[in-house]
Amino acid sequence: MESRARTRPGKLLVLCTGLLLTVSACGPTAQQLQEREASASASPSASRPVPAAPSRTAVPSPPPSPPVSETAAPPRVGVTGSQTGMPQRVQDACQWLLRRDREPMSGAEAGACVSAAMAAGEGGIQTLQTETSWLPAGTYSVRFATAPGFAMTLQGMDEDLAVSIRDGKRVLRKGGKEISADPEGSAEAASAAVLADAAELTVRPEKVAALLSPAAEVAVRYGAALEGEAYTQISGSFNTADTGPGSGQDPDSSAVLPAGSFSLYLDDYYRPVRIEISGLNQGITSTITAVNAQWGTRPLS
């Protein structure tokens, strides 16, 4: 019995020692776990996952601005309503066109503008086609000057008819005979005066103004196409029967067409390059188409 009692403490010591070694080899001790928890709470960033850097989408850089040409031409019309190369008297009379107003203008304003531009244009060559009762139907060649004084010659292509106006003298040549135009003269002279009035209707600045002035309104189109080119177009209707004292209109304008309509195509300097007129004269339909070329040539000066 004594031998058994003596051996139990030794066996128990060996068993406990073996258990301690086994626990130590299998994992951390309680003290080590406490130390690790303390270390983790002291360094929170170490236990948190680091977020991945956001992906960036490449943003294309804007294209470079095109270089500004130092030789680019300035705009034709400036903000002050002026145009390079246009005489001042034309700019003064044509401000509504220079400002590119859309509202209709009065016939008086349109007439003042076009007549000023024609006078500044100095002259040119015109092809005139008519179907009227006061100028024989046909095609005519017209050479005219508007400055320093008015002068013109009209020559018919299909018959022996010509009109010459120079230094205030108006002469009709027909059938080899010269007739001085005089509305107060003989029947022949008065007839010659009617033909002279008709001849100068589309080339004499004040006659064109008198034609447009009776219009209550003149419509305008900017950039109107004509044979592939852009022009300023003005159009309206007139009734010269309304002229008289106090009307502000020229009563002499009724000498050609008492009523009708017009359409003019104007170039960059507001000189007419094409004039279209239609109306009734003594109950007969009359039409005129005039095409101007070579403005500024002053062929009769």
Side-chain angles (χ1 to χ4, degrees):
M1 293 295 292
E2 292 179 2
S3 61
R4 289 181 181 179
R6 292 173 182 173
T7 56
R8 279 183 182 175
K11 290 182 179 180
L12 289 173
L13 180 61
V14 173
L15 179 60
C16 290
T17 304
L19 289 173
L20 289 174
L21 291 174
T22 304
V23 171
S24 177
C26 290
T29 64
Q31 182 180 358
Q32 289 174 334
L33 290 175
Q34 292 177 357
E35 291 176 355
R36 289 185 183 182
E37 290 177 359
S39 175
S41 61
S43 303
S45 60
S47 61
R48 295 179 184 176
V50 178
S55 59
R56 295 183 180 180
T57 304
V59 178
S61 58
S65 301
V68 178
S69 173
E70 296 180 357
T71 60
R76 182 174 61 84
V77 178
V79 294
T80 58
S82 62
Q83 176 175 317
T84 303
M86 178 180 285
Q88 187 61 47
R89 62 184 181 277
V90 181
Q91 297 186 48
D92 294 341
C94 302
Q95 274 296 304
W96 58 291
L97 290 179
L98 286 168
R99 294 193 305 264
R100 299 181 74 84
D101 291 349
R102 293 287 180 180
E103 295 78 7
M105 298 295 141
S106 69
E109 287 178 289
C113 170
V114 175
S115 62
M118 291 179 67
E122 298 186 342
I125 298 174
Q126 181 180 100
T127 300
L128 181 68
Q129 293 181 327
T130 68
E131 293 181 7
T132 70
S133 61
W134 40 262
L135 189 64
T139 302
Y140 300 86
S141 176
V142 185
R143 301 173 69 86
F144 64 99
T146 59
F150 178 76
M152 67 165 289
T153 59
L154 176 146
Q155 180 67 54
M157 297 181 179
D158 299 329
E159 64 175 279
D160 181 21
L161 187 148
V163 175
S164 175
I165 301 175
R166 195 179 185 95
D167 299 329
K169 297 180 179 180
R170 306 196 301 170
V171 177
L172 170 69
R173 296 182 178 88
K174 186 175 182 180
K177 184 180 180 180
E178 291 189 358
I179 306 169
S180 294
D182 183 2
E184 304 297 331
S186 64
E188 191 176 45
S191 178
V194 172
L195 292 176
D197 288 340
E200 64 184 11
L201 176 64
T202 56
V203 291
R204 189 163 195 152
E206 55 266 35
K207 287 290 183 179
V208 175
L211 178 71
L212 306 184
S213 292
E217 290 186 348
V218 175
V220 57
R221 286 180 57 207
Y222 299 99
L226 176 65
E227 297 181 352
E229 300 291 337
Y231 296 94
T232 299
Q233 181 189 22
I234 60 175
S235 57
S237 59
F238 57 88
N239 185 355
T240 57
D242 295 336
T243 59
S247 67
Q249 308 297 346
D250 182 3
D252 291 337
S253 61
S254 62
V256 178
L257 287 178
S261 62
F262 60 83
S263 176
L264 282 72
Y265 291 83
L266 312 177
D267 65 12
D268 287 345
Y269 295 97
Y270 304 136
R271 304 168 299 194
V273 296
R274 185 180 179 91
I275 302 174
E276 300 172 350
I277 305 169
S278 64
L280 292 176
N281 183 14
Q282 298 177 356
I284 301 174
T285 300
S286 302
T287 61
I288 304 168
T289 301
V291 178
N292 295 323
Q294 300 181 29
W295 276 103
T297 58
R298 296 175 58 181
L300 300 178
S301 60

